[in-house]
Amino acid sequence: MKYMLTPNVFNQVATLFWNTRWRLLQWSLFSFILFIALQNQISLTTPNVLVWLALFILFFALQVLVIASFIFFFKNLPSTKAKTQNWFTFYRIIEWCETIIFTLLIPFPALIFLYMLFL
């Protein structure tokens, strides 16, 4: 059975975006700082647009942080460097667990923001 999302596919995607990892982390940090600054400005008389902008910035920061961590996790697969079958199997199990976690985690911030927006 062939799977569309495998550790090797995630490795190829992470390798493709490896050069953007630090820029993504910088955007995430900047967005968190901007959210904190906006959070201090929000009061009961604040327009709803500013509140939604602050929430968008927060979820943007979370999304970028998840994508950056994805790139860091899947740039190098330890199973490719395993010397014995036992270590290969062990690393492969860990990589599959990471694949499942990131398959669920990558869309999570965007889905929560959309859920908040439309509910």
Side-chain angles (χ1 to χ4, degrees):
M1 176 179 225
K2 288 200 116 181
Y3 298 105
M4 290 178 51
L5 300 175
T6 65
N8 291 336
V9 170
F10 280 9
N11 174 255
Q12 291 172 354
V13 172
T15 303
L16 182 66
F17 293 105
W18 181 248
N19 294 330
T20 62
R21 69 193 185 279
W22 293 114
R23 196 171 318 126
L24 289 171
L25 285 175
Q26 289 172 347
W27 271 104
S28 180
L29 180 64
F30 170 73
S31 297
F32 278 121
I33 292 170
L34 184 60
F35 170 74
I36 291 170
L38 281 175
Q39 189 69 20
N40 290 332
Q41 298 299 318
I42 293 176
S43 66
L44 293 175
T45 60
T46 304
N48 284 339
V49 174
L50 187 59
V51 174
W52 283 108
L53 178 65
L55 289 174
F56 172 76
I57 290 169
L58 174 66
F59 283 100
F60 174 78
L62 290 172
Q63 186 71 58
V64 172
L65 186 63
V66 167
I67 292 170
S69 62
F70 164 82
I71 293 170
F72 277 101
F73 267 89
F74 284 100
K75 171 58 173 120
N76 296 317
L77 295 178
S79 64
T80 59
K81 299 174 187 136
K83 298 192 185 325
T84 65
Q85 183 63 33
N86 291 336
W87 282 112
F88 176 80
T89 305
F90 175 72
Y91 287 140
R92 205 60 174 165
I93 289 170
I94 292 172
E95 290 166 358
W96 271 103
C97 290
E98 290 172 353
T99 301
I100 292 168
I101 290 169
F102 273 102
T103 300
L104 298 173
L105 195 61
I106 288 174
F108 197 64
L111 290 175
I112 290 178
F113 180 74
L114 290 175
Y115 177 75
M116 270 186 7
L117 190 64
F118 294 116
L119 193 65

